[in-house]
Amino acid sequence: MNAKISTLFFVKNTKVNSKGEVPIYLRVTVNGNRFETSTNKFVEISKWSSTLKRIKGNSEEARSINEYLKIFESKVFETQKNLILESKLITVETVRNRLLNLDNNSKMLNEIFDEHNKQMELLLEVKYSLSTLKRFKTTHSHFVEFLKLRYKISDIPVSDIDIETINNFDYYLRTVRKCNNNSTVKYLMIFGKIIRIALLNGWIKSDPFRFYTQKVKTVNRTILTEEELNTLLHKTFPSSRLELVRDIFLFSCFTGLAYIDVQQLTKNNITTGIDGAKWIFKNRQKTETPSRIPLLPIAESIIQKYHQDPVCLNQDKLLPILSNQKMNAYLKEIADVCGINKELTFHIARHTFATTVTLSNGVPLETVSKMLGHTNLKTTQHYAKILDKKISEDMQVLKTKFNNLTIDNQKSANS
């Protein structure tokens, strides 16, 4: 059980990188046998002390890397302690395998992230949207940059991810990347999915995200007022492309469909509903939940307007929708033409349907939730912004009822 273990840090002068830096290695000797492993840290040759086996000076870089080396070294002796407690034989192989996570099939984070994203690519338009894939790739890119900046490494064993790493990544996103709270939390939610994959596969023993407490904050959603909708509806545009984009945007405002769902619509999605009128029947791309939306007259008229369009006829599309990028670019131009001081997007169109078009006109929350294809009512409640106009109309009923009920203004004779 007893074993003599020693450690030694050194640099490999023969492996100079493009920055003129050399890698720092750790040599571990167990009972006269030894192995070497890279620390994934680099240093300029002139800054390395061959006597102290550390970086010279008291700069932030020197303190950071020297502290990392100290922790790295302590893991060697912690490994020895754990092997003793487990009554395991201490040899150069057992120490090496345990220290480098080779005895529990440890995986590197980049490998897991890359494999997940490749699977998403194969399932594009089947299970995932392109925007979802982009968010995962962006999260991966941010984390790799974070590792390089914070720890001077390009990859990390997933078993080394702990709450400190997660909190440091959170801090990096908020400060270096200048992400707001909700963007930061959403990036961490995506990263958390990768960690859960590792947990389900047995590559880690516990989920470090159980200690992560940050939450998405509710934000006021931008919507169009009834007056702004009317402005859009009656505006004459100088070009047919702006008119087309306006029409499709209004279609989303009066159906609540997201851009990707409008893009995917075909004539087969228009079905006769229970009331004998035309309805849209479609599963949402994002959640696969069904949406059942009775067509309002304005939405039906937009479909009729483009039913003979060549794109609709040749590609089996309900509407000749442009790319999301082009749509959003033209929507900015439309907002300027209409004097609407808001950034028009399809998110705003969906919010407008939920509030201005439906909830503010007395449509019950449960009905709106069903049409939006939400999986639970809590999601819809985020849209349930009660507009001042609706409050005014509702209170007007009470004003009429209590119109003649006032307090006697005359003072009592005994006062």
Side-chain angles (χ1 to χ4, degrees):
M1 298 292 292
N2 293 325
K4 183 179 179 180
I5 296 182
S6 63
T7 60
L8 175 71
F9 288 105
F10 65 99
V11 295
K12 287 196 174 184
N13 297 335
T14 58
K15 293 188 175 182
V16 183
N17 64 18
S18 59
K19 297 180 180 180
E21 299 171 329
V22 291
I24 304 174
Y25 273 73
L26 171 65
R27 178 180 298 146
V28 180
T29 304
V30 183
N31 293 332
N33 298 309
R34 69 188 190 186
F35 70 91
E36 297 173 355
T37 180
S38 172
T39 65
N40 290 319
K41 298 292 185 181
F42 290 81
V43 63
E44 293 179 17
I45 298 177
S46 61
K47 294 181 179 180
W48 180 255
S49 171
S50 57
T51 302
L52 299 175
K53 312 303 181 188
R54 293 291 190 272
I55 296 179
K56 302 174 187 176
N58 195 36
S59 66
E60 182 178 348
E61 178 191 30
R63 291 198 305 271
S64 175
I65 295 181
N66 285 339
E67 179 64 23
Y68 177 88
L69 297 181
K70 182 180 178 181
I71 295 172
F72 202 109
E73 186 176 45
S74 68
K75 285 186 177 181
V76 175
F77 298 102
E78 185 178 348
T79 297
Q80 180 188 26
K81 176 184 175 181
N82 290 335
L83 288 171
I84 292 173
L85 292 174
E86 296 171 17
S87 299
K88 296 288 182 66
L89 187 64
I90 300 177
T91 66
V92 69
E93 289 81 11
T94 57
V95 173
R96 177 179 180 273
N97 290 343
R98 180 63 62 89
L99 180 66
L100 303 181
N101 294 303
L102 300 177
D103 60 347
N104 61 355
N105 297 318
S106 177
K107 281 220 175 190
M108 300 300 285
L109 183 77
N110 285 342
E111 180 184 358
I112 303 171
F113 232 133
D114 287 336
E115 186 176 337
H116 173 271
N117 291 349
K118 286 178 182 177
Q119 290 179 354
M120 288 189 73
E121 288 184 14
L122 295 175
L123 294 172
L124 277 181
E125 308 306 331
V126 176
K127 186 177 180 180
Y128 302 104
S129 66
L130 181 60
S131 61
T132 302
L133 173 62
K134 287 181 178 179
R135 284 195 293 272
F136 271 85
K137 286 188 173 183
T138 301
T139 304
H140 187 195
S141 175
H142 285 338
F143 190 76
V144 169
E145 291 302 316
F146 156 72
L147 287 178
K148 291 178 180 178
L149 181 65
R150 177 80 185 194
Y151 302 110
K152 303 295 188 292
I153 58 177
S154 59
D155 202 357
I156 187 173
V158 68
S159 56
D160 284 357
I161 302 294
D162 55 17
I163 187 58
E164 181 182 3
T165 310
I166 293 169
N167 285 334
N168 286 339
F169 185 36
D170 180 291
Y171 181 76
Y172 165 83
L173 290 171
R174 296 175 191 272
T175 56
V176 178
R177 303 303 308 185
K178 307 297 183 185
C179 296
N180 61 31
N181 177 79
N182 287 1
S183 294
T184 297
V185 175
K186 288 177 181 178
Y187 280 131
L188 265 298
M189 289 171 64
I190 290 174
F191 185 57
K193 181 180 178 181
I194 302 302
I195 298 301
R196 286 192 297 276
I197 290 174
L199 185 65
L200 291 172
N201 282 278
W203 299 325
I204 57 176
K205 295 180 180 179
S206 61
D207 184 2
F209 269 89
R210 68 188 185 277
F211 302 114
Y212 183 69
T213 57
Q214 299 294 337
K215 295 181 179 179
V216 172
K217 296 178 181 178
T218 301
V219 296
N220 291 327
R221 300 176 185 273
T222 302
I223 61 170
L224 295 184
T225 64
E226 188 174 334
E227 291 75 16
E228 289 168 334
L229 278 177
N230 284 327
T231 298
L232 278 173
L233 184 62
H234 299 295
K235 186 70 176 179
T236 300
F237 291 95
S239 67
S240 58
R241 64 177 172 82
L242 290 182
E243 183 178 346
L244 167 64
V245 173
R246 183 276 310 269
D247 290 346
I248 295 176
F249 178 78
L250 284 174
F251 182 83
S252 184
C253 288
F254 285 94
T255 61
L257 290 173
Y259 167 83
I260 186 64
D261 295 313
V262 176
Q263 184 189 51
Q264 293 175 347
L265 286 177
T266 69
K267 293 178 181 179
N268 292 333
N269 293 118
I270 307 300
T271 309
T272 301
I274 193 172
D275 55 359
K278 292 181 179 179
W279 289 40
I280 294 176
F281 281 60
K282 187 186 185 304
N283 288 349
R284 286 201 64 207
Q285 168 72 23
K286 183 177 180 180
T287 60
E288 284 298 317
T289 53
S291 290
R292 304 290 183 266
I293 310 164
L295 279 175
L296 293 171
I298 178 64
E300 194 168 350
S301 68
I302 292 172
I303 294 174
Q304 183 62 30
K305 181 176 180 178
Y306 294 99
H307 80 287
Q308 290 297 323
D309 187 278
V311 173
C312 296
L313 295 175
N314 297 330
Q315 300 180 19
D316 189 29
K317 297 287 185 180
L318 192 66
L319 293 170
I321 190 168
L322 307 178
S323 70
N324 197 16
Q325 184 178 6
K326 287 184 178 179
M327 292 288 291
N328 286 329
Y330 292 150
L331 282 173
K332 291 180 180 179
E333 190 174 343
I334 288 172
D336 291 337
V337 172
C338 294
I340 298 174
N341 190 26
K342 296 173 182 176
E343 184 178 354
L344 300 186
T345 66
F346 273 85
H347 289 300
I348 288 182
R350 188 166 164 81
H351 302 336
T352 299
F353 174 78
T355 53
T356 308
V357 174
T358 55
L359 290 172
S360 64
N361 285 301
V363 179
L365 189 68
E366 294 82 0
T367 302
V368 176
S369 182
K370 187 70 175 178
M371 289 190 290
L372 291 173
H374 287 162
T375 54
N376 61 72
L377 203 58
K378 285 185 178 180
T379 306
T380 317
Q381 287 171 341
H382 292 301
Y383 292 90
K385 179 190 292 183
I386 304 301
L387 307 178
D388 289 346
K389 178 176 179 293
K390 180 62 177 174
I391 293 175
S392 176
E393 291 173 352
D394 291 343
M395 289 302 292
Q396 190 61 44
V397 177
L398 289 179
K399 286 182 180 179
T400 302
K401 180 177 180 179
F402 296 117
N403 187 44
N404 297 321
L405 186 61
T406 59
I407 193 168
D408 190 349
N409 288 327
Q410 292 186 354
K411 296 183 177 179
S412 170
N414 296 326
S415 61

